[in-house]
Amino acid sequence: MFPEYDVIVVGAGHAGCEAAAAAANMGSRVLLVTMNMQTIGQMSCNPAMGGVAKGQIVREIDALGGYSGLISDRSMIQFRMLNRSKGPAMWSPRTQNDRLRFAEEWRLALERTPNVDFWQEMVSGLIVKDGRAAGVKTAMGLEIESKAVVLTNGTFLNGKIHIGEKNFGGGRTGEKAATGITEQLISLGFESGRMKTGTPPRVDGRSLDYSKMEEQPGDEEPGKFSYKSETQPLAKQMSCWITYTNPDVHGQLSRGFEQSPMFSGRIQGLGPRYCPSIEDKINRFSERDRHQIFVEPEGWNTIEIYVNGFSTSLPEDVQYQALRLIPGFENVRMFRPGYAIEYDYFPPTQLKLSLETQLIENLYFAGQINGTTGYEEAACQGLMAGINAHLKVNEKEALVLKRSEAYIGVLIDDLVNKGTIEPYRMFTSRAEYRILLRQDNADLRLTPIGHRIGLADDERVSAVHDKTENIRKLAVELAKTKVDPDQVNARLTELSSANIREKVSVTHLLKRPEITLREIRQLHSSLAKLIDSYSADVAEQVEISVKYNTYIDREQKMAEKIESLEHYRIRPDFDYDRVKALSSEAREKLKKIRPETLGQVSRISGVSPADVSVLTVYLGK
């Protein structure tokens, strides 16, 4: 009934969609197995993509040749660049999306990919032969063979939904949980755990009073995620709105704590620290008398509203009564309540940096099964798992992005070397090279890599070459173009910038914090003509390079110094018990994680600099 596939992807959320698309576009024959064909690419939680650090990840996915950026652009209803008041390392793009169109665009994109087949059914187990993943078993008893398997099960593995004192099996509201896989993996020697996440109630937008809220419009000059020209910025946008809880809301919620599954102990799994439920917030931050609520429309043609910041698993009536005490929500009508969901995950220290499991060859994990939270974190793992599954079945070396190359590299390196006991979320603070890993230069960093492995097409890499050359040309032009005091001093005085006494280069002026290329354009018509002859993204790259050159060079040198340890490779079967000078904790961690290089050793939690030195000397012998 089925041909032998190169790669089977289990689950069609953000991770599964990216994994299937990547492997198929690189040439593998892929089967995407999902429990429901109608929920491919569904936004299970908030209808938005990107945000702080997450926006950088979406740009990186796009630069490598993945689809999340394109899908986000095609379905966005608002675009904002966050943290514009800070330095460029912190700028983070974010889109508000039409939930239905987002899922529709993902399904269309996959259906237009010739190498992707679909099968709707629950996967209940794996086919494992001689320590290798060789396919999947379905609930109906079918066996489908493949050369590699990627598990992207999201919150479905033994999922349990909690609302107040009620709980029932489910991977998402209205959808059943997946069973069988966890039990088999444990029998094969894997360690598993439980995590939880939650979602807020959805409400009728017609019942809200927006005059009592703060409007949050999109950017006046909206951007987009994808570097490809096939998507365009929005001509019109929808606004979001901001309101706040108050002591009355908190008091109403507190009355339901006795029925809360989180406080009663019915929920065992740890939830996301940086996206807590509303009951967790008012309990942990009792000194605060209000918390921000984002009122987010779910699309162009729907009245449904997502109440961001009000995630809860309290009883329905408690949720409803508390909502009605929020300004603007006095007459709210609730479509469905919020809930918490518990699910199985597998500590990611059991993976290689390629996302292949250590215990079973050709088996890859991506997304929430690895203990992460968020669409973007899942999508980038799916992309890398799909890429590496294809490379493995074609007997090619795995692609592992370094921490100095991408936020994706930081995320995977953190998961494998440090593990996580709570849902992992990406932040800019996790990246030690965040000045190098900006959202604006993801194409320059990663598109050549995507092209080398056969994922980013010739048009993409050609555009990067052109952009690189234009950046060089404009930088040279600005360095050699001189301005004299008579031309610019009057304008410099208006900008509260020191006057110049002799001719200086435009680059010299641009190094001043208060002078941007926008001001440079206004100094003289010839300068405006020069700058306008280049695209806005080229001009932005040159400006950032000039202003932050010292910091960029410093990070680059630091990255090169640390990278030297990556050249010292360690055999997979290396016997750490022979190195007597290692601490017992280091020996235990090294035997479990099986690092591939000394660089990876240095990033493992519990391995000290002294342990790294000991191992360096031993390997040198």
Side-chain angles (χ1 to χ4, degrees), residues 289-340:
D289 59 7
R290 72 175 194 172
H291 293 283
Q292 201 168 46
I293 300 294
F294 293 93
V295 179
E296 301 180 350
E298 299 241 342
W300 293 110
N301 302 308
T302 180
I303 57 172
E304 191 167 351
I305 295 292
Y306 180 88
V307 190
N308 196 342
F310 204 85
S311 174
T312 180
S313 58
L314 291 171
E316 302 95 316
D317 60 327
V318 175
Q319 296 184 34
Y320 178 63
Q321 294 301 329
L323 279 173
R324 289 171 66 89
L325 297 172
I326 298 173
F329 280 69
E330 292 83 358
N331 299 305
V332 69
R333 291 190 294 274
M334 190 165 72
F335 284 159
R336 60 185 186 275
Y339 61 87

Side-chain angles (χ1 to χ4, degrees), residues 53-54 57 60-61 348 351 353 355 365-368 370-382 384 401-404 406-420 424-427 430-432 437:
K54 294 168 174 279
I57 289 176
E60 291 178 352
I61 291 169
L351 301 175
L353 289 170
L355 297 181
F365 291 173
Q368 285 170 294
N370 289 336
T372 60
T373 181
Y375 304 148
E376 303 82 2
E377 289 88 343
C380 74
Q381 290 174 72
M384 298 306 295
L401 296 174
K402 297 191 285 286
R403 295 182 72 92
S404 58
Y407 272 93
I408 298 172
V410 174
L411 182 148
I412 294 174
D413 191 78
D414 277 355
L415 292 175
V416 172
N417 293 319
K418 299 175 183 176
T420 186
Y424 178 102
R425 179 180 179 182
M426 178 53 70
F427 291 100
R430 295 191 189 273
E432 61 270 44
L437 308 182

Side-chain angles (χ1 to χ4, degrees), residues 66 126 142 192 196 198 206 249 443 496 532 560-561 584 589 599:
L126 302 169
L142 299 175
S192 73
K196 88 161 184 85
R206 298 171 302 180
V249 176
D443 57 338
S496 301
D532 291 347
E560 289 169 1
K561 183 178 179 181
S584 57
K589 292 287 182 67

Side-chain angles (χ1 to χ4, degrees), residues 588-617:
E588 180 185 333
K589 292 287 182 67
L590 293 168
K591 288 163 69 174
K592 181 178 181 180
I593 293 175
R594 290 284 162 192
E596 298 173 22
T597 67
L598 266 178
Q600 188 181 352
V601 169
S602 70
R603 297 189 296 276
I604 295 174
S605 177
V607 178
S608 70
D611 291 317
V612 176
S613 297
V614 166
L615 198 55
T616 302
V617 171

